């Protein structure tokens, strides 16, 4: 009974929120046409992502240094929720699987936010790498999930190194990030979006259940200069992210008093 009531309230709120975002995206598109140039969507994107996290009932805390400007951010991948969570913390463009572009409304909104899409097995990796390099060279930040797929959030799958070369070619830093979902003091079994799960089915389960705690640990940025091969760099980044996941699951990344992050939505905080 409680779960059904929670689902009804959250689903109604989430639907209204998506409708509001769609109207905003449409208004920005009209502004593009009237002004003859693309309007900056960055100030709106973070607000929309944080609002989505509120609707989804995600309690988010972040640790470590602030996200580096103009960098390639690499993170482990557990759920489609990773995108609004990380997008609410860092001003980045995302690289996502092509299937997301086909999701009703969500896909359209993702395109409006400038998401880069890649089709697995489509031989597009080098073309996407070039697009990422151009975005980085123009001063933007891009976030990728080098695992190439989602996991259950208990470990970090091997990182693919090809796209990491975009940071070296653009001469920008790489910032590893670790995302961790927990529920009742244990790894969250609801948040992972794996296997043949559908977006609609996963969304219903997420909205029906009590809030999930999400910890995001930003690691120190890594310079891309040096003689490391892409495969070696990928292995080093994977180990960094995996170490962060172990710390977060063990509760050892909580070094002190909690402080509310300036300008963030209520419930979104940083641990100093």
């Amino acid at each position: 009974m409680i779960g059904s009531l929670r689902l009804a309230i959250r689903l109604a709120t989430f639907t209204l929120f998506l409708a509001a975002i769609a109207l905003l995206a449409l208004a920005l598109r009209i502004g593009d046409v009237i002004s003859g140039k693309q309007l900056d969507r960055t100030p709106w994107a973070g607000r929309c992502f944080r609002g989505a996290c509120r609707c989804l009932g995600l309690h988010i805390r972040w640790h470590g240094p602030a996200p580096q400007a103009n960098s390639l951010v690499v993170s482990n991948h557990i759920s489609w929720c990773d995108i609004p969570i990380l997008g609410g913390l860092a001003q980045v463009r995302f690289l996502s699987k092509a299937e997301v572009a086909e999701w009703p409304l969500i896909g359209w909104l993702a395109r409006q936010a400038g998401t880069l899409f890649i089709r697995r097995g489509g031989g597009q990796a080098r073309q996407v790498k070039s697009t990422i390099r151009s975005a980085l060279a123009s001063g933007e930040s891009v976030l990728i999930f080098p695992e190439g797929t989602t996991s259950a959030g208990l470990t970090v799958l091997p990182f693919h190194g090809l796209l990491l070369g975009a940071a070296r070619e653009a001469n920008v830093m790489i910032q590893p990030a670790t995302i961790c979902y927990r529920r009742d003091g244990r790894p969250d079994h609801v948040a992972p979006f794996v296997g043949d799960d559908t977006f609609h089915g996963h969304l219903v389960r997420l909205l029906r259940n009590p809030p999930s705690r999400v910890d995001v640990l930003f690691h120190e940025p890594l310079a891309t200069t040096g003689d490391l091969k892409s495969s070696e760099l990928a292995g080093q980044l994977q180990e960094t992210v995996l170490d962060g996941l172990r710390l977060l699951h063990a509760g050892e990344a909580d070094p002190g008093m909690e402080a509310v992050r300036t300008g963030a939505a209520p419930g979104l905080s940083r641990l100093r």
Side-chain angles (χ1 to χ4, degrees), residues 100-119:
V100 174
E102 301 168 2
W103 289 356
L105 188 57
I106 296 291
W108 181 72
L109 293 173
R111 290 193 295 273
Q112 294 299 307
T115 300
L116 308 173
F117 296 102
I118 183 170
R119 188 171 299 278

Side-chain angles (χ1 to χ4, degrees), residues 130-231:
S130 177
T131 303
I132 294 174
R133 181 185 66 243
S134 298
L136 293 171
S138 68
E140 295 182 286
S141 290
V142 179
L143 189 146
I144 65 173
F145 301 108
E147 292 168 291
T149 187
T150 53
S151 74
L154 302 176
T155 189
V156 178
L157 303 176
F159 278 11
H160 300 284
L162 177 60
L163 298 181
L164 300 176
R168 178 172 293 169
E169 294 174 11
N171 194 29
V172 300
M173 306 281 279
I174 295 180
Q175 183 158 24
T178 302
I179 187 167
C180 174
Y181 295 80
R182 292 180 64 78
R183 188 181 296 273
D184 300 324
R186 298 179 180 179
D188 191 348
H189 64 283
V190 178
F193 183 70
V194 294
D196 296 326
D197 206 352
T198 64
F199 170 73
H200 298 90
H202 185 266
L203 176 63
V204 168
R205 290 197 306 277
L206 193 68
L207 296 178
R208 183 187 295 274
N209 280 274
S212 175
R213 167 174 167 169
V214 187
D215 288 275
V216 179
L217 171 59
F218 287 101
H219 303 269
E220 291 295 336
L222 178 68
T224 54
T225 56
D227 299 326
L228 278 181
K229 298 179 180 178
S230 294
S231 58

Side-chain angles (χ1 to χ4, degrees), residues 2-270:
I2 296 178
S4 298
L5 179 60
R6 182 187 296 116
L7 171 62
I9 295 174
R10 285 185 179 170
L11 187 57
T13 303
F14 189 59
T15 301
L16 291 173
F17 178 74
L18 289 180
I21 295 180
L23 290 175
L24 172 61
L26 182 60
L28 290 172
R29 182 58 182 157
I30 294 174
D32 292 344
V33 175
I34 294 176
S35 65
K37 62 180 180 180
Q38 185 171 8
L39 301 178
D40 184 13
R41 285 154 169 76
T42 302
W44 299 102
R47 296 187 184 97
C48 291
F49 283 134
R50 289 191 290 272
C53 291
R54 283 176 173 173
C55 294
L56 294 171
L58 301 172
H59 291 176
I60 305 167
R61 299 197 298 179
W62 64 280
H63 315 254
Q68 179 82 20
N70 187 208
S71 63
L72 180 67
V73 183
V74 299
S75 172
N76 58 320
H77 197 16
I78 299 172
S79 172
W80 59 269
C81 298
D82 299 346
I83 292 178
I85 291 168
L86 294 169
L89 296 174
Q91 295 182 359
V92 294
R93 295 181 68 181
F94 289 92
L95 178 66
S96 180
K97 61 181 182 180
E99 290 89 334
V100 174
E102 301 168 2
W103 289 356
L105 188 57
I106 296 291
W108 181 72
L109 293 173
R111 290 193 295 273
Q112 294 299 307
T115 300
L116 308 173
F117 296 102
I118 183 170
R119 188 171 299 278
R120 288 174 291 187
Q124 300 182 44
R126 296 190 182 280
Q127 178 182 348
V128 171
K129 176 186 174 183
S130 177
T131 303
I132 294 174
R133 181 185 66 243
S134 298
L136 293 171
S138 68
E140 295 182 286
S141 290
V142 179
L143 189 146
I144 65 173
F145 301 108
E147 292 168 291
T149 187
T150 53
S151 74
L154 302 176
T155 189
V156 178
L157 303 176
F159 278 11
H160 300 284
L162 177 60
L163 298 181
L164 300 176
R168 178 172 293 169
E169 294 174 11
N171 194 29
V172 300
M173 306 281 279
I174 295 180
Q175 183 158 24
T178 302
I179 187 167
C180 174
Y181 295 80
R182 292 180 64 78
R183 188 181 296 273
D184 300 324
R186 298 179 180 179
D188 191 348
H189 64 283
V190 178
F193 183 70
V194 294
D196 296 326
D197 206 352
T198 64
F199 170 73
H200 298 90
H202 185 266
L203 176 63
V204 168
R205 290 197 306 277
L206 193 68
L207 296 178
R208 183 187 295 274
N209 280 274
S212 175
R213 167 174 167 169
V214 187
D215 288 275
V216 179
L217 171 59
F218 287 101
H219 303 269
E220 291 295 336
L222 178 68
T224 54
T225 56
D227 299 326
L228 278 181
K229 298 179 180 178
S230 294
S231 58
E232 295 172 335
L233 178 60
Q236 180 178 336
L237 290 168
Q238 180 201 1
E239 284 300 318
T240 298
V241 174
L242 179 57
D243 287 344
L245 186 64
R246 290 168 177 157
L247 288 173
L248 291 173
H249 274 309
E252 296 177 10
D254 188 343
M257 184 177 298
E258 180 176 330
V260 177
R261 182 186 179 201
T262 302
L268 184 64
S269 55
R270 176 185 177 185

